[in-house]
């Protein structure tokens, strides 16, 4: 049960974060006035604030819940590629994209496409960004945050529904975003980001402590190994680190077989770079922090600082996920069985019988013979219906599975519960990080709607104060949409929240990246070339998803290459009279940072070493 000190620390921390964010948002005002103050923090963010804010906005529920869950699955350490490759992607962003963005004085990333191509390209990217931010990022983070809150509440003896948890998470984020904008987000992120890293380190410590003290007979080797391997290789006299190495030796590799459907080694060559560079360089909800930099040098230093922190993140997210499976695989299987049964009940209650058969394992059938008999009868009906419709090839199969997305919730509830005060801090840090990411998404989505749609099509050149009001209204509308949709993601068909988010971004990210790369290299092609590039990718990605078995990362690589070929061909015939020049639209200091360049080189070298060590 919860200790009163846990409750006090939890609410005290959340109250402090919101109070500091709102207090700081009422401070300095920029020369640009209301819109720049609200959406870009008055373009006055320092490097340390940018760096920590980037991490806090990024490392949220889909990272802690999704990435630790993927680590507990067959992927193991390989999922850390999203973090270590992100470090290099951040360095690229700092020195390739940021100088152009700050020079043009844009409010949104789609706004840059109007400088290079035309207004249509800007509007199309803005629309795509809105769909991804609200339909994927917002709903995904709210769901993962709600899932974590529900699991923690159950561990503390409280039964709270997933929809209720989603509304609580969304409401907290919307409150201070609507009131304080990006400045409130950045200062809140400073506290939450620091607490997040400390909290993650504490979870890692308690996880190793539990592994070292656990009865060998209760341990399970990492997914893909057998129980015999555990009992034969691990002994009571082994320490935590030695046990970890033995249990997970087969999962401590960054390069997976080319047949892997999530992260094959071939994807590391190109496919994985696409979502990483898109996310860190061209995704409004991340880059909005860098657009608020007080100078190019400050922005570059902040981004490189964030890149250095990214190298550390897998050790407090991925590693605990690996150990969670060693300790609690049985609990994960139980949660998966509960989902299996819930899905079966939903299908049998449906007005139209879905063409889905349910295949319980021998262990499940032995434990639940009556339910297994019901499933057998259901399967017979489905087979008869499919035969009558000539749809035998369309029948889907479901079986009990191990719900690894519960890894983090299990670690916190089972290992940290009972540590008075400390448990409250860890929970507050984790949930605070989720709120940070929600706030970032809401702020980004409201900025894009206000600047790229309302200010361009609904009320041209609107008053800055009116834009702020529109932004605040958007926050409320968007969070309501997210909270209504998020609980629907609690379905085994999505295959893990982290993969869900990454895969659906593939409809947009290759095309956006291709358009930016091509547009910076070839400045003579006409604006319609960029429009074609943006529209081509979602179609090709969708066709590949339906007609081929190519994994989503390699689909992204194919789409990027095809898009660049298409734009290059069109650019030979569709040209501007004069090349595009990116005129300065800001009074910011545009000189680069030499220190950031040195730091960036160090980050790239350390990343290479990590891949060599864990090859």
């Amino acid at each position: 049960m919860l200790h009163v000190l846990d409750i006090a620390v939890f609410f005290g921390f959340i109250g402090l974060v919101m109070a500091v964010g709102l207090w700081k948002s009422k401070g300095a005002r920029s020369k640009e006035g209301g819109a720049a103050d609200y959406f870009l923090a008055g373009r006055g963010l320092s490097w340390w604030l940018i760096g920590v804010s980037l991490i806090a906005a990024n490392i949220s529920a889909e990272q802690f819940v999704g990435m630790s869950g993927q680590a507990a699955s067959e992927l193991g350490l390989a999922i850390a590629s999203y973090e270590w490759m992100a470090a290099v992607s951040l360095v690229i962003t700092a020195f390739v994209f940021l100088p152009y963005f700050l020079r043009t004085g844009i409010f949104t990333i789609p706004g840059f496409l109007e400088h290079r191509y035309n207004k249509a390209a800007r509007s199309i990217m803005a629309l795509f960004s809105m769909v991804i931010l609200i339909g994927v990022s917002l709903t995904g983070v709210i769901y993962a945050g709600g899932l974590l809150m529900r699991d923690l509440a159950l561990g503390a003896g409280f039964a709270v529904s997933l929809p209720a948890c989603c509304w609580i998470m969304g409401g907290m984020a919307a409150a201070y975003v609507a009131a304080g904008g990006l400045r409130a987000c950045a200062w809140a992120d400073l506290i939450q980001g620091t607490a997040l890293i400390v909290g993650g380190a504490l979870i890692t410590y308690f996880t190793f402590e539990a592994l070292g003290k656990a009865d060998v007979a209760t341990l399970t080797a990492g997914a893909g190994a057998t129980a015999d391997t555990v009992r034969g290789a691990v002994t009571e006299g082994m320490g935590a680190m030695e046990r970890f190495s033995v249990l997970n030796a087969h999962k401590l590799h960054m390069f997976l077989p080319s047949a892997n459907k999530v992260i094959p080694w071939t994807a590391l060559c190109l496919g994985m770079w696409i979502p990483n560079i898109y996310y860190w360089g061209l995704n409004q909800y991340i880059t909005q922090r860098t657009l608020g930099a007080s100078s190019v040098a400050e922005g570059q230093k902040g981004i490189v600082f964030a890149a250095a922190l990214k190298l550390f993140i897998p050790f407090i997210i991925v590693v605990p996920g690996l150990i969670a499976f060693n300790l609690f695989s049985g609990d994960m299987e139980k949660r998966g069985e509960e989902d299996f049964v819930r899905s079966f009940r939903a299908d049998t209650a449906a007005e139209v019988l879905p063409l889905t058969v349910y295949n319980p394992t021998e262990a499940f059938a032995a434990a639940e013979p009556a339910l297994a008999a019901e499933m057998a009868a259901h399967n017979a009906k489905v087979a008869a219906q499919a035969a009558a419709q000539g749809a035998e090839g369309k029948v889907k199969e479901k079986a009990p599975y191990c719900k690894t997305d519960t890894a983090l919730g299990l670690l916190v509830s089972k290992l940290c519960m009972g540590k008075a005060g400390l448990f409250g801090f860890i929970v507050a840090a984790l949930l605070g990080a989720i709120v940070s990411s929600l706030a970032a998404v809401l702020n980004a989505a409201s900025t894009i709607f206000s600047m790229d749609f309302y200010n361009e099509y609904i009320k041209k050149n609107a008053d800055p104060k009116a834009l702020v009001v529109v932004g605040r209204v958007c926050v409320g509308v968007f969070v309501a949409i997210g909270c209504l949709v998020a609980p629907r993601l609690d379905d085994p068909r999505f295959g893990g929240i982290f993969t869900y988010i990454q895969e659906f971004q593939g409809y947009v990210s290759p095309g956006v990246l291709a358009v930016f790369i091509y547009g910076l290299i070839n400045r003579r092609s006409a604006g319609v070339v960029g429009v074609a590039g943006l529209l081509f990718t979602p179609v090709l990605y969708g066709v590949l998803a339906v007609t081929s078995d190519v994994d989503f990362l390699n689909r992204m690589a194919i789409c990027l290459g095809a898009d660049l070929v298409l734009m290059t061909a069109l650019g030979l015939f569709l040209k501007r009279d004069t090349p595009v020049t990116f005129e300065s639209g800001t009074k910011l200091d545009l000189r680069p940072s030499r220190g950031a360049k040195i730091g960036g080189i160090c980050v790239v070298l350390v990343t290479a070493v990590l891949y060599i060590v864990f090859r």
Side-chain angles (χ1 to χ4, degrees):
M1 296 297 292
L2 283 176
H3 191 280
V4 65
L5 186 57
D6 290 318
I7 298 173
V9 169
F10 175 81
F11 285 105
F13 180 85
I14 296 298
L16 173 66
V17 168
M18 298 187 71
V20 169
L22 294 176
W23 170 53
K24 283 294 184 179
S25 70
K26 303 301 181 184
R29 293 290 181 266
S30 70
K31 294 180 180 178
E32 293 183 65
D37 288 330
Y38 183 77
F39 295 118
L40 296 180
R43 300 189 194 270
L45 297 181
S46 301
W47 69 267
W48 45 273
L49 197 54
I50 293 171
V52 177
S53 186
L54 284 171
I55 295 300
N58 164 245
I59 302 299
S60 177
E62 79 271 25
Q63 248 71 23
F64 260 110
V65 175
M67 191 171 286
S68 62
Q70 294 281 38
S73 72
E74 288 80 3
L75 293 180
L77 186 64
I79 196 68
S81 279
Y82 279 104
E83 299 301 302
W84 290 341
M85 292 179 75
V88 179
S89 299
L90 277 163
V91 174
I92 294 172
T93 297
F95 298 103
V96 176
F97 295 124
L98 184 66
Y100 286 107
F101 294 162
L102 294 186
R103 172 180 290 277
T104 53
I106 57 175
F107 273 75
T108 67
I109 299 302
F112 184 78
L113 291 188
E114 185 171 6
H115 285 271
R116 170 55 189 88
Y117 293 104
N118 54 31
K119 191 172 183 178
R122 173 183 181 173
S123 299
I124 292 169
M125 183 183 172
L127 178 61
F128 286 172
S129 297
M130 290 286 293
V131 171
I132 292 297
L133 285 171
I134 299 171
V136 179
S137 299
L138 182 65
T139 55
V141 174
I142 289 177
Y143 161 69
L147 183 66
L148 176 60
M149 179 180 281
R150 183 188 68 181
D151 289 345
L152 292 175
L154 285 173
F158 300 100
V160 186
S161 69
L162 179 61
C165 291
C166 290
W167 281 100
I168 292 171
M169 299 298 302
M172 290 172 61
Y176 73 81
V177 174
L182 180 61
R183 195 186 303 274
C185 292
W187 280 96
D189 288 349
L190 178 64
I191 301 173
Q192 291 177 157
T194 303
L196 172 68
I197 294 173
V198 174
L202 289 172
I203 291 174
T204 304
Y205 171 78
F206 292 132
T207 302
F208 272 102
E209 182 183 51
L211 181 64
K213 294 179 178 179
D215 183 346
V216 171
T218 66
L219 297 176
T220 305
T226 65
D228 291 335
T229 305
V230 178
R231 297 190 180 95
V234 178
T235 64
E236 292 291 349
M238 287 183 176
M241 188 61 69
E242 193 174 2
R243 290 184 176 193
F244 172 76
S245 299
V246 172
L247 292 169
N248 300 290
H250 62 292
K251 296 179 68 177
L252 299 179
H253 300 287
M254 299 303 295
F255 300 99
L256 299 182
S258 58
N260 188 277
K261 292 299 182 182
V262 183
I263 310 179
W265 71 264
T266 52
L268 302 182
C269 300
L270 179 59
M272 187 170 282
W273 290 104
I274 297 169
N276 264 299
I277 296 176
Y278 164 78
Y279 181 89
W280 291 104
L282 307 173
N283 180 4
Q284 181 71 24
Y285 107 78
I286 291 297
T287 55
Q288 191 147 343
R289 273 102 176 111
T290 63
L291 295 180
S294 59
S295 67
V296 168
E298 288 294 297
Q300 289 176 333
K301 287 187 290 185
I303 294 174
V304 172
F305 177 41
L309 292 176
K310 292 297 281 184
L311 298 176
F312 170 72
I313 295 302
F315 296 104
I316 62 172
I317 296 181
V318 176
V319 170
L322 289 167
I323 300 175
F325 189 89
N326 303 146
L327 296 171
F328 308 121
S329 60
D331 295 270
M332 295 179 189
E333 290 174 358
K334 183 178 179 181
R335 300 290 175 84
E337 289 176 354
E338 290 172 356
D339 280 355
F340 177 64
V341 173
R342 187 172 70 247
S343 178
F344 172 69
R345 293 303 184 196
D347 278 3
T348 54
E351 294 182 7
V352 179
L353 187 67
L355 294 180
T356 303
V357 295
Y358 287 81
N359 300 321
T361 60
E362 292 183 7
F364 182 92
E368 300 285 350
L371 188 54
E374 285 186 54
M375 291 180 178
H378 167 82
N379 293 346
K381 290 181 181 179
V382 170
Q385 179 175 308
Q389 297 175 354
E392 290 91 340
K394 296 182 180 180
V395 175
K396 298 180 181 179
E397 297 184 9
K398 286 187 178 181
Y401 72 109
C402 186
K403 190 167 185 177
T404 55
D405 271 352
T406 59
L408 179 65
L410 289 168
L411 288 175
V412 175
S413 61
K414 289 182 175 291
L415 302 183
C416 303
M417 181 75 72
K419 295 177 171 62
L422 189 58
F423 175 75
F425 170 76
I426 290 175
V427 172
L430 292 174
L431 297 184
I434 294 167
V435 171
S436 280
S437 283
L438 288 179
V441 175
L442 290 170
N443 194 39
S446 65
T447 302
I448 289 177
F449 181 85
S450 301
M451 305 305 297
D452 293 324
F453 290 112
Y454 184 85
N455 195 45
E456 293 294 324
Y457 296 104
I458 299 175
K459 190 173 182 180
K460 186 73 175 178
N461 298 321
D463 179 76
K465 292 183 179 179
L467 290 173
V468 172
V469 172
V470 171
R472 286 171 171 157
V473 171
C474 287
V475 169
V477 173
F478 295 157
V479 80
I481 294 172
C483 290
L484 289 171
V485 175
R488 300 179 184 276
L489 300 184
D490 195 34
D491 188 313
R493 291 175 297 177
F494 288 103
I497 187 63
F498 189 76
T499 300
Y500 161 74
I501 291 175
Q502 298 298 332
E503 180 163 4
F504 277 84
Q505 283 184 341
Y507 283 93
V508 173
S509 55
V512 171
L513 181 57
V515 166
F516 272 84
I517 291 173
Y518 178 80
L520 292 176
I521 295 174
N522 185 340
R523 304 186 186 185
R524 292 296 299 264
S525 61
V528 68
V529 175
V531 172
L534 289 171
L535 295 177
F536 175 67
T537 296
V539 176
L540 178 60
Y541 187 88
V543 169
L544 290 173
V546 173
T547 62
S548 75
D549 292 327
V550 179
D551 63 272
F552 74 94
L553 288 172
N554 282 321
R555 287 203 301 269
M556 289 185 189
I558 294 171
C559 289
L560 176 69
D563 214 359
L564 288 172
V565 170
L566 173 67
M567 288 189 291
T568 300
L570 293 176
L572 296 175
F573 305 99
L574 304 172
K575 298 182 179 181
R576 299 167 54 93
D577 294 332
T578 57
V580 173
T581 58
F582 298 106
E583 302 291 341
S584 177
T586 182
K587 295 181 181 180
L588 295 178
D589 185 347
L590 300 177
R591 290 174 296 180
S593 167
R594 184 172 181 274
K597 288 181 181 179
I598 296 172
I601 293 172
C602 292
V603 166
V604 173
L605 292 176
V606 172
T607 303
V609 170
L610 287 170
Y611 271 90
I612 293 171
V613 172
F614 296 104
R615 58 188 181 279

